[in-house]
Amino acid sequence: MEDKARKILVDRIEQRCEALGISVNAASERTGSPSLIPNIIYGRSKHPRVDTLQRIAEALETTTAYLNGLTDDPSIDAPAEFSRAAVQSPSSQKLNGNLPVLGTAAGSFIETADGQAFEGFEIETRIVQYVKRPPALTDVSEAYSIFVDGDSMYPMHPPGELRFVNPHATVSPGDTVVVQTRTWEDKPGQAYIKIYRRRAGGYLVLEQFNPLATISIPQQYVLSVHKVLTTNELFGI
């Protein structure tokens, strides 16, 4: 986590502790881990996982979006169900209003034949909160966002950072994508945020940064390949 992002997180944790009238240690006790929050405050934990941030948010009666500085509203939105095949904004939400953040959970590591590991995660069947909809996604009803889980794409996509996804955008080599798979061979069905390289010989070829490695997934086990938009794309630049 970069210094600026960590400072925002620490400041927001301290603000919520003050608002709730509890100490940092008491807040950490609420998470079930007395050292969890102090480790972040004092820099011993550099890259808290998405599920860790969610535990802290629950303990502080707020959202991960607030803790990450994506909103100044600490209130908690009620979760809503979604369809994995076709994520729909609730009828009460205007398309130019809020965008759903899909919940994620820690997944498994897939090891390639040469011993390199690929980090996966699970996309949960619920909306955990909402964030402001960027201009490029105003009319995309099935757009969604997720918090990055794990550090396999660091530093391009640090853990805990929010990323916006357009399921209908054309994917080109070099684009960041969210790939969902079904169970294949001895590999669990899960999701991956990686760099798309190509489709060749019946395989989807992806790349990650940390550690630098390439993975080829048999095309018949790929459920979806969704493009993660860049900042320029989000604002039509």
Side-chain angles (χ1 to χ4, degrees), residues 22-38 55 59:
I22 60 176
S23 67
V24 167
N25 289 336
S28 199
E29 289 284 354
R30 288 186 175 191
T31 71
S33 175
S35 62
L36 192 153
I37 293 179
R55 286 168 59 194

Side-chain angles (χ1 to χ4, degrees), residues 18-207:
E18 182 177 354
L20 296 172
I22 60 176
S23 67
V24 167
N25 289 336
S28 199
E29 289 284 354
R30 288 186 175 191
T31 71
S33 175
S35 62
L36 192 153
I37 293 179
N39 282 345
I40 293 174
I41 296 258
Y42 299 113
R44 293 189 291 269
S45 177
K46 300 291 187 181
H47 302 292
R49 297 174 61 91
V50 173
D51 56 341
T52 297
L53 290 175
Q54 185 62 41
R55 286 168 59 194
I56 295 172
E58 291 172 359
L60 296 176
E61 301 175 24
T62 187
T63 65
T64 54
Y66 176 79
L67 293 180
N68 283 313
L70 300 173
T71 176
D72 292 328
D73 182 4
S75 60
I76 300 174
D77 292 321
E81 295 300 318
F82 81 100
S83 166
R84 181 173 299 191
V87 178
Q88 299 289 342
S89 297
S91 59
S92 62
Q93 297 290 328
K94 301 296 184 182
L95 287 181
N96 61 353
N98 288 339
L99 186 79
V101 179
L102 305 188
T104 62
S108 302
F109 283 87
I110 287 181
E111 191 167 303
T112 61
D114 57 3
Q116 295 174 308
F118 280 81
E119 188 173 27
F121 59 94
E122 296 179 6
I123 297 182
E124 299 177 346
T125 55
R126 65 189 181 103
I127 295 172
V128 296
Q129 61 194 68
Y130 294 93
V131 293
K132 293 298 182 182
R133 185 178 290 268
L137 299 178
T138 297
D139 298 319
V140 184
S141 63
E142 294 183 350
Y144 61 93
S145 57
I146 60 171
F147 287 107
V148 178
D149 191 12
D151 61 0
S152 67
M153 293 300 293
Y154 184 86
M156 177 181 284
H157 303 292
E161 290 288 304
L162 188 68
R163 292 296 179 260
F164 295 87
V165 183
N166 184 347
H168 306 303
T170 300
V171 175
S172 301
D175 288 339
T176 299
V177 293
V178 172
V179 176
Q180 289 197 65
T181 66
R182 60 170 59 91
T183 300
W184 51 288
E185 299 173 353
D186 60 343
K187 316 296 192 299
Q190 54 188 6
Y192 309 91
I193 180 168
K194 305 296 178 193
I195 300 296
Y196 170 76
R197 287 307 176 196
R198 61 189 178 276
R199 297 176 191 263
Y203 288 87
L204 179 72
V205 182
L206 307 170
E207 185 179 39

Side-chain angles (χ1 to χ4, degrees), residues 7-20 22 24 37 41-42 60 67:
K7 184 178 186 304
I8 291 173
L9 176 60
V10 170
D11 287 347
R12 289 298 173 90
I13 289 174
E14 292 176 340
Q15 288 167 16
R16 286 305 296 163
C17 286
E18 182 177 354
L20 296 172
I22 60 176
V24 167
I37 293 179
I41 296 258
Y42 299 113
L60 296 176
L67 293 180

Side-chain angles (χ1 to χ4, degrees), residues 225-236:
V225 181
H226 294 166
K227 182 175 181 178
V228 176
L229 301 185
T230 66
T231 300
N232 283 359
E233 290 169 334
L234 288 172
F235 292 94

